[in-house]
Amino acid sequence: MTTLRLQDEIRDALADGHPVVALESTVIAHGLPHPANLETATAMEQEIRRHGAVPATIAVMNGVPCIGLSASEMERLALEDNIRKCSRRDLPIACARGETGATTVAATMILADMAGIRIFATGGIGGVHRGPAMDISSDLHELASHPLGVVCAGAKAILDLPATLEVLETFGVPVIGYGTDTFPAFFTRSSGLPVDTVCRTPDEAAAIMISRDRLGFRQAVLITVPLPDDVAIDRETAGRAIEQALKEADERGVKGKDITPFLLGRVDELTGHASLKANISLLLQNARVAALTASALARASRGG
Ligand code: PSU
Ligand code: MN
């Protein structure tokens, strides 16, 4: 078994049944520009603490999977440009070669589950890409087999959202709309596509996770939160920027693990950085909802 490095505070919280929220690191290394990446990662940790939970940012540092990072480790992920983007297939390579890697939603779920963490906050999950090339994020595959609650703003709008929801259905992942009856599309509040159920409180969301556990299911529960109204980008503006970014990606032959960072970066430039502002705001909101849900889950578990 690979040994995880767990920060003492996180180990104690897990042992005592206190709420813990996992955070990914690809958003730091590949998702947001410097210095917004470091500021946002730090602010997410603070937001989680403010709402009564312990943050656990996850990454591979010098070949060691780490649950909880020091300030200087976060800074390394935010500054260095040779950080490997780690999904499941990359973890054995990064560990064997002593590399430092940022974990995607997929790899973060794997490591969080190994550590016994039950709630994870991120921006937008990966999904089925548009276009003829068969590019399906391994985020979807891992959502099928780790019993976490994953708080997100839906899937990135650069994706094929109807196909993404179909795959989630096939894999048996319940999709909750947190205060909404439609699936949020990252920097727009609604994709217009229906969710499986609406929850209005953290306790309601936690109750669905508890039923999932009682049924013995291993699927994640996806808790989707629309981004705050004041930073949302309207569907037409976002749609135009996405079309343009997709066209450029195609012309330049951007593929594989590079496509998501490329599209997010171009959409940000094309929206005059409205998408960066939206991204930061939704990440903080998701951190808060995750902390509240982790607390609700901890209370429910203590109550029997
Ligand atoms: N959403 C964002 N920023 C990101 C990502 C998603 O707003 O940086 C990252 C997540 O880590 C997600 C990954 O797991 O992109 C998906 O990459 P891919 O499509 O290559 O599986
Ligand atoms: Mn992919």
Side-chain angles (χ1 to χ4, degrees):
M1 277 294 280
T2 294
T3 326
L4 299 176
R5 193 199 74 189
L6 254 97
Q7 273 179 347
D8 289 342
E9 185 192 15
I10 298 168
R11 183 188 302 280
D12 292 347
L14 289 169
D16 297 341
H18 290 314
V20 175
V21 175
L23 296 168
E24 60 148 311
S25 46
T26 293
V27 67
I28 307 175
H30 309 101
L32 297 171
H34 186 78
N37 54 359
L38 186 58
E39 288 163 9
T40 307
T42 310
M44 285 177 83
E45 290 205 342
Q46 286 166 352
E47 191 68 2
I48 287 166
R49 286 189 191 285
R50 240 200 310 280
H51 291 88
V54 176
T57 303
I58 294 179
V60 178
M61 303 305 300
N62 304 319
V64 181
C66 294
I67 313 294
L69 303 178
S70 68
S72 65
E73 287 171 333
M74 299 253 275
E75 203 173 301
R76 228 189 119 186
L77 293 174
L79 279 170
E80 286 183 17
D81 51 14
N82 59 344
I83 307 285
R84 185 187 282 267
K85 177 178 162 187
C86 288
S87 201
R88 178 184 281 270
R89 61 113 191 251
D90 306 279
L91 287 176
I93 301 171
C95 291
R97 301 206 185 277
E99 289 180 11
T100 291
T103 50
T104 62
V105 168
T108 305
M109 292 186 75
I110 293 168
L111 296 174
D113 189 14
M114 279 184 200
I117 297 173
R118 300 169 77 193
I119 298 283
F120 166 29
T122 182
I125 58 162
V128 181
H129 282 261
R130 301 187 199 175
M134 200 204 61
D135 182 348
I136 302 178
S137 174
S138 82
D139 292 358
L140 296 182
H141 193 257
E142 300 302 337
L143 282 163
S145 53
H146 299 284
L148 300 170
V150 178
V151 180
C152 65
K156 283 159 292 173
I158 55 175
L159 300 168
D160 181 337
L161 296 179
T164 298
L165 285 172
E166 287 298 335
V167 173
L168 288 170
E169 181 197 348
T170 301
F171 287 168
V173 178
V175 178
I176 295 175
Y178 191 83
T180 179
D181 58 3
T182 58
F183 190 61
F186 200 59
F187 31 62
T188 52
R189 283 176 58 84
S190 171
S191 63
L193 302 163
V195 291
D196 301 321
T197 193
V198 181
C199 288
R200 305 212 171 268
T201 63
D203 297 86
E204 272 184 80
I208 292 174
M209 288 183 62
I210 291 164
S211 295
R212 184 254 341 251
D213 296 340
R214 291 197 178 130
L215 287 160
F217 290 176
R218 301 274 307 161
Q219 283 86 2
V221 168
L222 201 62
I223 302 166
T224 67
V225 191
L227 83 169
D229 219 354
D230 59 328
V231 292
I233 304 174
D234 68 88
R235 243 194 264 188
E236 291 72 52
T237 310
R240 269 199 307 275
I242 290 163
E243 287 301 331
Q244 174 70 20
L246 285 167
K247 192 168 141 257
E248 289 176 22
D250 189 46
E251 284 163 5
R252 294 185 202 186
V254 183
K255 283 195 286 293
K257 68 188 338 188
D258 298 329
I259 188 103
T260 296
F262 174 83
L263 292 174
L264 290 173
R266 275 306 282 149
V267 166
D268 189 49
E269 285 162 12
L270 291 165
T271 56
H273 304 296
S275 95
L276 178 61
K277 203 170 154 203
N279 204 344
I280 293 169
S281 170
L282 69 86
L283 282 163
L284 289 172
Q285 177 173 261
N286 294 347
R288 177 173 56 83
V289 172
L292 296 173
T293 307
S295 301
L297 202 58
R299 269 198 311 278
S301 303
R302 271 198 302 276

